[in-house]
């Protein structure tokens, strides 16, 4: 079984700031991390490999330094990695991104399953996984919390919903996005980490994927970010402080006097 | 500080630190309270290949030495020395086999220890044989192709949980110190069982029990080295394992310092953070100084041992003695810096102080370490012909 995991390097949410002048993310001095949801995708793939054997390839599209993110996942025991990096990829929306990833998956054939995190914490679109399935013309399921192979050709997915979970079964090859309930990602291993340090990671650009300049990056995108802004701070709110009893009393009095903001 | 560690040594540190921070620190209080053996953490350490850092590659290890082992122990000790002791005690059980075992014994016993599939333990102490190993009463009698062991080992770390035990028993009482021998005993050997689990002041997640030998019958090829070498095996084992106790102490001191400084920067009294008061500042300064000195000492001793040097008894004892005395002082002062909070079980430093005490006792009390250092000084200077006056 060959599983491809798509990950994304994102700014560490703990330090994110938006430049008030330009309304763009301030990336300087902000650490990059592997998108937290993607760790569950890596873990899901490794769990399947533990159970059924096979190979796990991790892949990301990003600038050259995204290679660091790939090496971090290799330290958990992922078999190989591919970096999709090309100046032409810059500014890609979810359409162009998922098309680029789909071409790379096709180049890695045979691939039985693609796993993504449920969404990335920077864009929060949750579109790339399903988009990837559309470009690959494969079935997909989102919010997987448990994955199980059936008869070697089907994937049974417990799919988290607001009210419990659904059980979905789909034919492979397919795409699935997963949630935290998959289980905590395992700790890195020393032998894996040593191997990760040395392993050669191929870099594929648009030409390697037979993609034309107008199909990738900003040019290949149907949407554009016109404006990014921080919502204006709301003035009509009060944070209660102090002991719980004091806070309760203050809240009680505010409610009694009908002075709760927004009421 | 920069200790010029190799890339691989830094990886050992990073992985051990990640496990300590994410998996050990959040549950250390719970483990202390429940006295539960940390199997789940041992499994994570095994998956991360840490049990093999100091073992040769031909036995499934990573080919490192005492320093690599110390780095892993220190990082774990920073979160909890009960967990770190459990890890380190497996190494203590493995060292006699590594240092003195036959090729067959090494091939059979070291790979499962290196992979963490099995834990090991070392059994010397008895009710009447603590500092004075000459008081050992457990006997091993040769019977054809077997040895028959009888007696009781006391306060054995990892007892009941480990599957491979190196134990010292008397094969010839008439020969005194030359009448002891080391044997490998496995869980499941007939006549081998465990006594009750001890209730301890600290180090409560670590398992401490008796080993009971009641006509325990083991194949003769379980003898380590030759009959009569039991004390040599023990002493040489401690020579390489003692920096590990120093490393536990360094980790513990660092963990206590981390909390003390963080707290002192936040705790406001008389209108300012207490770290602004010289009385507190100087305590923290001493804690940091002694902790760093301990670390430098442990790394230097470990490197010296790994260089293949033979005269390691003195530096090994020094690298256990100083950091463990420091850890007792540092953890006591950590409780003092946190004041009333420090004394509460809701905060981690009282556990650190309880845990610290054992470091001055096990693997040779600090009084015994001073004896070793003193005797070595006497020998060393006896060989020097010149005068320093």
């Amino acid at each position: 079984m060959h599983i491809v995991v798509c990950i994304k390097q994102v700014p560490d949410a703990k330090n994110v700031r938006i430049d008030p002048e330009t309304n763009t993310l301030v990336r300087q001095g902000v650490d990059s991390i592997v998108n937290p949801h993607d760790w569950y995708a890596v873990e899901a793939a490794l769990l399947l490999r533990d159970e059924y054997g096979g190979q796990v390839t991790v892949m990301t599209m990003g600038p050259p330094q995204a290679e660091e993110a790939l090496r971090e996942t290799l330290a958990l025991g992922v078999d190989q990695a591919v970096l999709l990096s090309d100046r032409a990829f810059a500014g890609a929306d979810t359409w162009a991104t998922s098309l680029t990833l789909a071409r790379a998956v096709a180049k890695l054939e045979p691939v039985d399953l693609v796993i993504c995190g449920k969404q990335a914490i920077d864009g929060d679109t949750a579109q790339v996984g399903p988009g990837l399935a559309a470009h690959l013309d494969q079935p997909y399921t989102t919010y997987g919390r448990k994955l199980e192979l059936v008869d070697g050709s089907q994937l049974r997915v417990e799919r988290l919903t607001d009210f419990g979970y659904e059980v979905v079964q789909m034919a492979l090859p397919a795409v699935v996005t997963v949630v935290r309930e998959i289980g905590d990602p395992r700790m890195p291993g020393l032998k894996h980490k040593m191997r990760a340090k040395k392993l050669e990671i191929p870099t594929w650009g648009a030409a390697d994927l037979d993609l034309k300049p107008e199909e990738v990056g900003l040019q290949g995108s149907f949407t554009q970010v016109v404006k990014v802004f921080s919502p204006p701070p709301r003035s009509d709110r009060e944070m209660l402080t102090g002991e719980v009893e004091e806070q309760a009393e203050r809240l009680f009095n505010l409610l009694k006097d009908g002075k709760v903001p927004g009421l | 500080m920069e200790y010029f560690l190799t890339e691989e040594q830094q990886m050992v540190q990073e992985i051990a630190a990640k496990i300590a921070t994410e998996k050990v620190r959040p549950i250390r209080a719970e483990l202390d309270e429940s006295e539960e053996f940390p199997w789940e953490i041992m499994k994570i350490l095994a998956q991360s290949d840490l049990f093999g850092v100091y073992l040769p590659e031909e036995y499934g290890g990573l080919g490192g030495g005492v320093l690599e082992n110390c780095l892993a122990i220190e990082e774990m000790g920073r979160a909890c020395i009960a967990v770190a002791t459990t890890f380190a005690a497996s190494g203590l059980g493995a060292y006699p086999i590594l240092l003195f075992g036959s090729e067959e014994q090494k091939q059979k016993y070291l790979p499962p220890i290196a992979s963490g599939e099995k834990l090991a333990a070392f059994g010397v102490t008895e009710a009447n044989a603590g500092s004075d190993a000459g008081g050992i009463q457990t006997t091993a009698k040769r019977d054809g192709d077997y040895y028959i062991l009888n007696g009781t080992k006391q306060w054995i770390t990892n007892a009941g949980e480990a599957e491979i035990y190196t134990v010292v028993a008397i094969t010839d009482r008439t020969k005194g110190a030359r009448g002891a021998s080391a044997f490998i005993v496995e869980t499941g050997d007939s006549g081998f069982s465990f006594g009750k689990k001890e209730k301890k002041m600290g180090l409560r997640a670590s398992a401490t029990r008796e080993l009971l030998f009641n006509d325990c019958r083991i194949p003769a090829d379980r003898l380590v080295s030759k009959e009569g070498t039991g004390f040599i095996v023990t002493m040489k084992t401690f020579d390489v394992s003692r920096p590990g106790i120093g490393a536990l102490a360094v980790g513990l001191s660092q963990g206590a310092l981390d909390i003390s400084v963080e707290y002192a920067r936040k705790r406001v009294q008389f209108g300012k953070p207490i770290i602004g008061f010289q009385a507190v500042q100087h305590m923290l300064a001493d804690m940091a100084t002694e902790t760093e000195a301990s670390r430098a000492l442990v790394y230097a001793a470990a490197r010296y041992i790994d260089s293949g040097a033979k005269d390691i008894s003195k530096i090994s004892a020094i690298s256990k003695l100083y950091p463990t005395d420091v850890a007792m002082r540092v953890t006591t002062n950590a409780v003092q810096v946190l004041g009333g909070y420090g004394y509460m079980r809701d905060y981690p430093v009282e556990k650190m102080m309880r845990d610290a005490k054992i470091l001055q006792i096990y693997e040779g009390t600090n009084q015994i370490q001073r004896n070793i250092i003193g005797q070595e000084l006497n020998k060393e200077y006896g060989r020097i012909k010149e005068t320093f006056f």
Side-chain angles (χ1 to χ4, degrees), chain A residues 157-216:
Chain A
V157 182
E158 282 187 13
R159 182 177 185 274
L160 192 70
T161 72
D162 287 343
F163 312 102
Y165 68 93
E166 303 171 340
V167 181
V168 179
Q169 195 164 310
M170 57 183 177
L172 296 175
V175 178
V176 64
T177 75
V178 296
V179 294
R180 188 168 56 89
E181 284 73 5
I182 280 288
D184 283 344
R186 61 199 60 192
M187 292 284 112
L190 207 44
K191 287 177 186 168
H192 295 315
K193 204 167 167 135
M194 286 175 183
R195 181 177 159 272
K197 202 92 188 177
K198 291 180 200 133
L199 192 76
E200 189 116 358
I201 296 179
T203 302
W204 294 346
D208 299 301
L209 301 173
D210 286 326
L211 284 163
K212 297 186 202 78
E214 60 268 28
E215 291 176 296
V216 299

Side-chain angles (χ1 to χ4, degrees), chain A residues 39 50 72 75-76 184-195 197-198, chain B residues 7-8 11-12 14-15 18-19 22-23 44 47-50 53 60-62:
Chain A
W39 282 115
D50 290 347
E72 272 191 64
L76 268 58
D184 283 344
R186 61 199 60 192
M187 292 284 112
L190 207 44
K191 287 177 186 168
H192 295 315
K193 204 167 167 135
M194 286 175 183
R195 181 177 159 272
K197 202 92 188 177
K198 291 180 200 133
Chain B
E7 207 169 51
E8 289 184 6
M11 285 184 197
V12 171
E14 283 166 24
I15 290 180
K18 187 174 166 73
I19 296 170
E22 293 180 20
K23 302 290 177 186
I44 294 171
Q47 274 173 4
S48 299
D49 311 315
L50 289 173
V53 290
L62 284 124

Side-chain angles (χ1 to χ4, degrees), chain B residues 24-94:
Chain B
V24 182
R25 197 202 285 161
I27 60 165
R28 63 183 167 195
E30 197 182 310
L31 288 173
D32 181 64
E33 199 71 30
S34 66
E35 307 198 5
E36 186 192 316
F37 190 81
W39 264 123
E40 223 164 283
I41 297 168
M42 291 305 120
K43 284 190 185 124
I44 294 171
L45 296 174
Q47 274 173 4
S48 299
D49 311 315
L50 289 173
F51 278 104
V53 290
Y54 62 98
L55 290 166
E57 284 169 90
E58 60 259 48
Y59 307 118
L62 284 124
V66 174
L67 181 56
E68 282 78 2
N69 196 31
C70 285
L71 293 170
I73 291 170
E74 177 190 344
E75 290 303 331
M76 279 180 252
R78 192 167 172 174
C80 175
I81 67 160
V83 168
T85 292
T86 303
F87 170 83
S90 191
L92 181 64

Side-chain angles (χ1 to χ4, degrees), chain A residues 54-67:
Chain A
Q55 278 226 320
V56 176
T57 303
V58 68
M59 184 164 82
T60 192
M61 184 179 99
Q65 60 266 30
E67 196 186 301

Side-chain angles (χ1 to χ4, degrees), chain B residues 131-294:
Chain B
S131 295
D132 178 12
I136 290 180
Q137 280 160 0
T138 297
T139 56
K141 270 209 183 81
R142 182 82 189 222
D143 178 25
D145 290 337
Y146 293 87
Y147 279 97
I148 313 285
L149 272 62
N150 276 293
T152 301
K153 292 287 168 188
Q154 184 172 272
W155 302 332
I156 305 307
T157 304
N158 285 356
E161 311 293 340
E163 291 177 67
I164 300 165
Y165 296 81
T166 314
V167 300
V168 178
I170 302 297
T171 38
D172 187 347
R173 191 164 302 288
T174 62
K175 290 190 176 157
R178 291 205 166 77
S181 307
F183 297 90
I184 301 166
V185 182
E186 296 177 36
T187 305
D189 281 338
S190 77
F192 176 42
S193 60
F194 306 102
K196 68 173 187 337
K197 201 173 163 181
E198 303 291 348
K199 292 181 186 166
K200 305 188 295 293
M201 170 184 182
L203 214 75
R204 293 169 50 156
S206 159
T208 312
R209 289 172 73 173
E210 288 172 332
L211 307 181
L212 310 175
F213 302 101
N214 192 0
D215 284 332
C216 168
R217 206 173 158 79
I218 55 170
D221 64 8
R222 300 277 194 82
L223 173 69
V224 177
S225 186
K226 288 182 295 226
E227 269 192 31
T229 59
F231 283 117
I232 298 288
V233 169
T234 304
M235 290 306 131
K236 297 283 179 195
T237 293
F238 283 150
D239 278 351
V240 295
S241 70
R242 275 177 185 137
I245 305 299
L248 284 166
V250 173
L252 178 57
S253 295
Q254 186 64 51
L257 178 67
D258 293 338
I259 289 172
S260 303
V261 179
E262 184 181 328
Y263 178 84
R265 282 169 46 79
K266 282 186 191 153
R267 170 73 169 173
V268 174
Q269 289 290 274
F270 305 104
K272 61 177 181 180
I274 61 169
I275 198 167
F277 295 105
Q278 204 176 55
V280 176
Q281 242 172 41
H282 283 193
M283 282 172 82
L284 296 173
D286 286 344
M287 290 159 76
T289 304
E290 292 189 315
T291 301
E292 202 59 61
S294 299

